[in-house]
Amino acid sequence: MSTWYIPQVWRKARVTFVPKPGKIDYTTAKAFCPISLTSFLLKRWEKLVDRYLRYGPLVEIPIHLRQHAFQAGKFTESALHHVVRRIEKALDGGEYALGVFDIQGAFGNAPIIISIKKTLHERRVIPAISNWIGSMIEQRTVCVGLTMIHIATQRGLPQGRGLSPTL
């Protein structure tokens, strides 16, 4: 890990598109969830890094209390309850409440590596781990379909990977 090198075969993900349940129309890409199938060995490394982050840097500087995704005991309903409670409090106090929501594709379209590197630095993650995470994200390729189209990724994090929720 100290060299930050990840074997090329580990960096290659075969993406399988799984239909999202309950969709009326399956003719658009949004009706499918892309799942990245990757090397078992890379997944094991990711689990070790995830454990290091959760029981090291994230204990010292925890994830914000208002973060609901991928947190034990928190879920969509708890996030909605928090927002509704704040709106009701403002309205009961004779104040205005404004909410702007546009999160469609927020993770898949964001150049997330910049945010991740900044957050890892702020949480004093050791450079070897931080650089390894950067390499894992920036140097991955995706294989899609039967013809095996290889694409270097530029945005987002792969779904179906052990470290993605923590990052």
Side-chain angles (χ1 to χ4, degrees):
M1 181 171 295
S2 63
T3 64
W4 317 326
Y5 178 75
I6 301 169
Q8 187 174 6
V9 70
W10 290 13
R11 290 183 267 137
K12 201 176 292 183
R14 170 171 269 191
V15 175
T16 299
F17 295 93
V18 178
K20 294 179 180 176
K23 295 289 181 180
I24 296 169
D25 181 15
Y26 287 98
T27 60
T28 63
K30 291 181 181 182
F32 296 87
C33 182
I35 302 297
S36 299
L37 305 172
T38 59
S39 163
F40 167 77
L41 295 171
L42 179 62
K43 287 181 182 183
R44 295 309 307 155
W45 272 111
E46 285 188 68
K47 288 288 186 187
L48 291 172
V49 171
D50 184 63
R51 181 172 286 171
Y52 159 76
L53 292 174
R54 288 184 181 273
Y55 296 105
L58 291 178
V59 170
E60 295 175 28
I61 306 172
I63 292 172
H64 198 280
L65 290 174
R66 292 190 189 130
Q67 170 65 33
H68 289 262
F70 305 106
Q71 301 300 309
K74 294 183 179 182
F75 36 87
T76 304
E77 288 81 6
S78 65
L80 289 171
H81 175 71
H82 179 80
V83 170
V84 169
R85 188 176 61 218
R86 291 190 61 159
I87 292 169
E88 288 174 342
K89 183 179 176 184
L91 295 175
D92 288 345
E95 299 174 350
Y96 293 100
L98 173 66
V100 179
F101 305 94
D102 183 19
I103 58 171
Q104 184 175 357
F107 293 106
N109 295 317
I112 203 160
I113 188 63
I114 297 165
S115 299
I116 289 173
K117 285 182 175 182
K118 180 179 179 240
T119 302
L120 292 173
H121 178 73
E122 289 170 352
R123 286 188 162 72
R124 298 186 292 276
V125 172
I126 57 175
I129 299 283
S130 182
N131 291 327
W132 184 85
I133 290 170
S135 295
M136 181 193 64
I137 294 169
E138 292 175 313
Q139 298 175 5
R140 60 195 169 98
T141 59
V142 176
C143 305
V144 182
L146 298 174
T147 57
M148 297 295 289
I149 299 169
H150 295 274
I151 303 166
T153 58
Q154 297 176 353
R155 297 181 182 272
L157 290 172
Q159 292 186 5
R161 296 266 293 265
L163 193 54
S164 292
T166 301
L167 295 178

